[in-house]
């Protein structure tokens, strides 16, 4: 039986970042187990790749304050590209309540050290993007270091660099059991046999609840379908544009290749492993697109190129990070609720810190993301879910 210091269950961007941060800290006997024949077949390969620090809760802002500079220096540090493009996120407010919300967030972001966010008057938004329908725009906020990464490249970069530093990746290997003894985690059962370890990390994305169950833990994470629609090449809107979020209805879009990537979180969507893109979504999203950008009336999309993936939703839309008190050695990195790519660097550092030293200073109080918050009723509140 092989022995590892840490076994990570799931080889998406989160598992890969944890492996990299552990090996970077000198912990080399790290095994990542991925059941698919290739990495990226879970949520990571379906992501929109948006990264932002414009959040409302302190812990989410602090996760981004670690992650975005990390992405900015990723290529240099890891020797692999992450495709970071700091084109910004522009929140477009159409109600006074939006302005109040953005202004509160802005003060919190500033107090935590974010220097690049600004509140914008309507005039500046219209000057920035005259293609937007502006009769209802009241103002907004913009952060120039927000932007996009290529999730697939970042995941591969993390893993390739972790392997260069000594980590092991097993693909086409399924974790089917977690063995405990009086001291907590003792081993992990896999389709290649049993692996001995005292630390197992759940990095199983939308399947996190099933993995937790193997250790006897009821984890409140469920998959929720999200759909993205790429346009055909289109030049009547600037390709240097930020991610634009229409706060009137949550429609958002960003440049992608020679076209644009359109997103909208349908409030009628219900949880479950629904793998297929729903063709009727095209009409819903194009209606919202043309409503904010009249020129998008002429935007062509090919339904065959549209796709669906799953957010891993937690009850309060915040990640669940850290140890599980009742199973010593079992760690969670789950429930990112649509933010797992942008928060993967911080998650890797936090998990590595907690596993190796029991504490972290990436965020001022990591216990707010602890699994026990659900039993205590200490839920967080984040309304800006995109
Ligand atoms: C449409 C869409 C748009 C998104 N847009 C954004 C965005 O703009 N910005 C952002 O930050 N996030 C975004 N997200 C969310 C983001 O993609 C996820 O939060 C992130 O990819 C989660 O990474 P992960 O590594 O935890 O999960 P995954 O990538 O799903 O990886 C989990 C892995 O675990 C493996 N696994 C599971 N169970 C087992 C087992 N028993 N044995 C072995 N392997 C197992 C799976 O095969 C999978 O590869 C988006 C998601 C979707 C679907």
């Amino acid at each position: 039986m092989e022995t590892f210091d840490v076994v990570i269950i799931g080889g998406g961007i989160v598992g890969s970042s944890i492996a990299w941060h552990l090996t970077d800290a000198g912990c080399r006997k790290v095994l990542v187990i991925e059941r698919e024949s290739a990495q990226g077949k879970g949520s990571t390969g379906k992501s929109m790749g948006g990264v932002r620090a414009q959040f409302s809760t302190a812990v989410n802002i602090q996760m981004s304050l670690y992650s975005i500079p990390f992405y900015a220096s990723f290529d240099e540090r890891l020797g692999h590209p992450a495709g970071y493009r700091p084109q910004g996120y522009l929140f477009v407010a159409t109600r006074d309540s939006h302005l109040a919300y953005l202004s509160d967030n802005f003060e919190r972001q500033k107090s935590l050290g974010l220097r690049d966010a600004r509140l914008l008057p309507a005039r500046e938004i219209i000057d920035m993007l005259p293609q937007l329908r502006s009769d209802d725009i009241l103002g907004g906020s913009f952060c120039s270091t927000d932007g996009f990464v290529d999730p697939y490249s970042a995941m591969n970069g993390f893993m390739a660099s972790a392997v260069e530093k000594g980590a092991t990746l097993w693909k086409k290997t399924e974790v089917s059991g977690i063995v405990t003894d009086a001291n907590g985690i003792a081993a992990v059962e896999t389709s290649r046999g049993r692996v001995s370890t005292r630390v197992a990390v759940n990095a199983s994305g939308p399947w996190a609840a099933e993995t937790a169950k193997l250790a006897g833990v009821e984890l409140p994470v469920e998959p929720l379908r999200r759909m993205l629609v790429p346009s055909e090449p289109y030049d009547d809107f600037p390709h240097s544009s930020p991610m634009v979020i229409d706060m009137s209805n949550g429609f958002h879009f960003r440049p992608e290749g020679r076209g644009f990537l359109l997103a909208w979180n349908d409030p009628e969507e219900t949880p479950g492993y629904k793998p297929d893109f729903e063709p009727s979504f095209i009409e819903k999203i194009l209606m919202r697109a043309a409503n904010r950008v009249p020129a998008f009336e002429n935007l062509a999309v090919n339904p065959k190129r549209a796709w669906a993936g799953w957010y891993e939703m937690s009850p309060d839309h915040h990640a669940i990070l850290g140890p599980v008190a009742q199973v010593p050695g079992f760690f969670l990195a789950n429930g990112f609720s649509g933010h797992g790519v942008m928060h993967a660097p911080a998650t890797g550092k936090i998990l590595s810190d907690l596993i190796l030293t029991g504490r972290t200073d990436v965020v001022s109080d990591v216990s707010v993301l602890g699994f026990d918050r659900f039993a205590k009723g200490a839920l967080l509140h984040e309304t800006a879910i995109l």
Side-chain angles (χ1 to χ4, degrees):
M1 181 164 48
E2 289 201 63
T3 301
F4 287 87
D5 292 338
V6 181
V7 172
I8 299 168
I9 306 166
I13 195 166
V14 169
S16 304
S17 171
I18 298 168
W20 185 84
H21 280 86
L22 282 165
T23 53
D24 190 55
C27 175
R28 313 277 154 145
K29 284 223 83 179
V30 174
L31 171 65
V32 180
I33 303 182
E34 171 52 55
R35 71 176 157 209
E36 300 289 345
S37 55
Q39 290 179 261
K41 294 197 170 176
S43 297
T44 302
K46 307 286 167 56
S47 172
M48 196 174 191
V51 297
R52 65 180 160 115
Q54 292 186 85
F55 278 101
S56 65
T57 59
V59 73
N60 271 345
I61 296 165
Q62 288 180 322
M63 299 267 290
S64 297
L65 286 175
Y66 177 89
S67 297
I68 294 176
F70 190 100
Y71 277 130
S73 62
F74 192 102
D75 305 17
E76 204 181 311
R77 266 178 97 173
L78 278 75
H80 299 271
Y84 171 60
R85 285 188 286 153
Q87 293 187 204
Y89 262 59
L90 173 66
F91 285 83
V92 177
T94 58
R95 280 189 232 129
D96 287 332
S97 58
H98 299 155
L99 289 180
Y101 169 78
L102 292 177
S103 161
D104 269 9
N105 292 354
F106 170 74
E107 292 304 333
R108 195 164 307 110
Q109 291 153 12
K110 201 167 70 172
S111 74
L112 291 166
L114 180 63
R115 300 272 161 265
D116 308 297
R118 289 189 297 132
L119 292 173
L120 303 185
R123 172 48 46 206
E124 220 176 304
I125 296 178
I126 298 161
D127 288 348
M128 188 190 280
L129 291 173
Q131 300 83 352
L132 300 182
R133 179 178 61 79
S134 59
D135 54 339
D136 60 347
I137 295 179
L138 300 180
S141 72
F142 177 75
C143 180
S144 59
T145 43
D146 290 352
F148 337 119
V149 295
D150 174 353
Y152 194 77
S153 297
M155 175 194 69
N156 283 330
F158 271 131
M159 188 57 80
S161 179
V163 168
E164 285 154 22
K165 290 170 185 280
T168 304
L169 169 64
W170 287 355
K171 290 186 273 195
K172 261 177 132 172
T173 307
E174 175 146 23
V175 171
S176 53
I178 295 176
V179 183
T180 54
D181 64 14
N183 295 318
I185 296 290
V188 169
E189 300 278 9
T190 83
S191 49
R192 284 203 203 187
R194 187 177 272 209
V195 180
S196 164
T197 187
R198 283 288 172 200
V199 178
V201 182
N202 182 350
S204 303
W207 301 274
E210 282 87 337
T211 295
K213 206 168 269 170
L214 299 176
V217 174
E218 287 295 323
L219 184 67
V221 172
E222 54 186 13
L224 184 66
R225 181 172 61 175
R226 294 297 195 204
M227 294 183 273
L228 295 179
V229 179
S231 82
E232 298 293 347
Y234 186 82
D235 290 325
D236 289 341
F237 198 89
H239 290 276
S240 56
S241 156
M243 178 88 80
V244 178
I245 300 105
D246 179 350
M247 294 181 78
S248 72
N249 57 22
F251 168 70
H252 50 290
F253 65 96
R254 70 164 176 86
E256 168 69 16
R258 293 183 52 214
F260 291 85
L261 192 54
L262 313 180
W264 176 63
N265 296 338
D266 188 340
E268 286 173 13
E269 189 60 82
T270 51
Y273 290 108
K274 299 180 219 171
D276 298 326
F277 181 80
E278 168 56 51
S280 64
F281 184 71
I282 300 257
E283 197 186 321
K284 292 186 191 177
I285 203 161
L286 284 181
M287 195 177 79
R288 285 164 178 86
N291 182 49
R292 182 51 61 199
V293 185
F296 278 175
E297 281 280 356
N298 307 316
L299 195 66
V301 300
N302 177 350
K304 290 201 177 109
R305 291 181 50 233
W307 70 88
W310 299 305
Y311 275 15
E312 342 79 315
M313 300 303 286
S314 76
D316 60 3
H317 310 135
H318 278 72
I320 307 170
L321 302 186
V324 179
Q326 63 267 40
V327 188
F330 190 45
F331 286 80
L332 305 173
N334 305 120
F336 294 94
S337 306
H339 310 140
V341 166
M342 66 183 88
H343 285 162
T347 299
K349 174 71 173 141
I350 289 171
L351 266 288
S352 164
D353 286 349
L354 294 178
I355 290 167
L356 300 177
T357 70
R359 55 172 304 281
T360 185
D361 58 10
V362 173
V363 296
S364 38
D365 180 10
V366 74
S367 73
V368 300
L369 297 177
F371 172 59
D372 60 358
R373 75 180 186 267
F374 303 107
K376 288 184 192 154
L379 271 63
L380 293 154
H381 190 59
E382 172 71 71
T383 41
I385 307 155
L386 297 175

